[in-house]
Amino acid sequence: MDSPGYILLSRLSLQERSTQALAHNIANADTPGFRAMRPIFGQVMVSLRGAGSMPGDSSMSFPQDRATWRDMSQGSLQNTGNPLDVAIDGDGFFVVETPQGERYTRAGRFSIGANGRLVDQEGNAVLDSRGRPISFSAQDTQIEITKSGTIQSENGEIAKLRVVRFERPQNLMAEGNRLFDAKNEVPLPVEESRMLQGMLEGSNISPVLEITRLTAEMREFQYASMFTEREGERITNAVERILRRRS
C-alpha cells in the first residue's frame, strides 16, 4: 500500500472513534450528571526516505489519537420534587463508597437502601463530611437537605454531605456513565458548596447538537471511504497497465 492509502486508513480509524464518542454522548443524554466526551486528534509528521517516497516529498502527515477531553460544564437542573434528590449548583462532586473504593459523581439521585443508608442508583453508600456512610432511622420521615449540604430531620441533624473538587478534573477516569475514579488526583473539600434539594442535574448533552455533529462525522466517514475505494481502483488499474506493457 502506498502513502495515500495509509493516510486514508488512519483517517478512517479516527473518524470511527469520533463517531463512537458522539453516539455514546447521545445514548447518555438523559443520564443524570453525565459529562460529554470529546476526542482530541493531533498530527504526526513522518519523514519520507527511500524508494517509497515521491520526488520532491520530504514528509507526510498522519492524524493521531491524542486523548479524550471531557466537558465538565454543568448540566441542566431539573425539579423532581423528590426530597432525596440533590443537585450541586457549581463546582464539586458527591463522594460514594464502592467495592473498589471511593468514587465521585455529579448524579444526585439518591434513595434510602434496605439498611437505612443513603445510596446512589447503583446502591453505593453516600459519604458524609467525615467519610462515613449516611444512615437514617425509621423515625426520620421528614428529611431536609440545606443549601450547605446538611441533612436533618424532625429528630435533628443527621450528617453533612461530603462534596469535593479537583485541581485537574480532566485527569479523572470515568467508570460507567456516572462515576469517576480520582486515580492520582487528590480530592479537595469544597468550602462553599450550594445544594438544591428536590433537584437533579441532568447531562450536559444537547441532543440536537450531538445528532448534528454525528451526521457530519458520518458524512466525512463516507467521503473518506469513497476516496479509499477510488484509490484502490487507481492502484489496481496502474498495476494492470504495467503488467500489460511487460507481457
Side-chain angles (χ1 to χ4, degrees), residues 18-20 22-23 26 209-219:
S18 179
T19 302
Q20 291 173 345
L22 287 168
I26 294 171
L209 291 177
E210 295 300 303
I211 291 175
T212 301
R213 292 186 178 119
L214 180 60
T215 302
E217 291 290 345
M218 292 179 66
R219 287 176 178 171

Side-chain angles (χ1 to χ4, degrees), residues 34-79:
F34 179 79
R35 294 293 183 259
M37 298 170 54
R38 307 292 180 205
I40 299 176
F41 301 135
Q43 178 176 273
V44 176
M45 301 298 295
V46 178
S47 298
L48 296 179
R49 297 177 181 177
S53 61
M54 297 293 291
D57 290 343
S58 59
S59 63
M60 177 173 58
S61 64
F62 289 90
Q64 181 187 37
D65 188 353
R66 298 293 299 276
T68 298
W69 174 75
R70 194 171 294 275
D71 183 359
M72 288 296 182
S73 62
Q74 183 167 314
S76 60
L77 300 179
Q78 308 161 6
N79 188 350

Side-chain angles (χ1 to χ4, degrees), residues 33-200:
F34 179 79
R35 294 293 183 259
M37 298 170 54
R38 307 292 180 205
I40 299 176
F41 301 135
Q43 178 176 273
V44 176
M45 301 298 295
V46 178
S47 298
L48 296 179
R49 297 177 181 177
S53 61
M54 297 293 291
D57 290 343
S58 59
S59 63
M60 177 173 58
S61 64
F62 289 90
Q64 181 187 37
D65 188 353
R66 298 293 299 276
T68 298
W69 174 75
R70 194 171 294 275
D71 183 359
M72 288 296 182
S73 62
Q74 183 167 314
S76 60
L77 300 179
Q78 308 161 6
N79 188 350
T80 66
N82 184 351
L84 294 179
D85 284 345
V86 191
I88 301 175
D89 187 12
D91 192 17
F93 295 85
F94 297 110
V95 185
V96 298
E97 184 67 34
T98 73
Q100 293 76 34
E102 289 187 357
R103 295 296 184 265
Y104 309 91
T105 181
R106 293 281 299 190
R109 176 164 283 170
F110 302 141
S111 60
I112 299 177
N115 55 3
R117 287 183 173 180
L118 187 67
V119 296
D120 66 3
Q121 290 179 266
E122 282 75 31
N124 302 310
V126 181
L127 302 184
D128 64 11
S129 57
R130 292 176 289 183
R132 301 186 302 186
I134 299 172
S135 298
F136 299 93
S137 68
Q139 289 73 37
D140 295 323
T141 58
Q142 300 178 10
I143 298 173
E144 179 185 358
I145 303 176
T146 67
K147 292 182 178 180
S148 64
T150 299
I151 304 175
Q152 55 194 26
S153 71
E154 66 270 32
N155 301 307
E157 183 175 323
I158 298 172
K160 184 176 181 180
L161 287 165
R162 183 184 175 195
V163 180
V164 300
R165 64 179 180 86
F166 298 92
E167 291 290 348
R168 295 181 293 272
Q170 290 297 331
N171 290 342
L172 300 179
M173 298 295 294
E175 288 189 359
N177 300 323
R178 299 182 182 90
L179 301 180
F180 292 95
D181 183 0
K183 292 298 181 182
N184 297 325
E185 292 297 311
V186 178
L188 305 173
V190 177
E191 300 298 338
E192 297 182 359
S193 58
R194 183 169 180 260
M195 308 291 169
L196 301 175
Q197 184 180 17
M199 303 285 287
L200 188 65

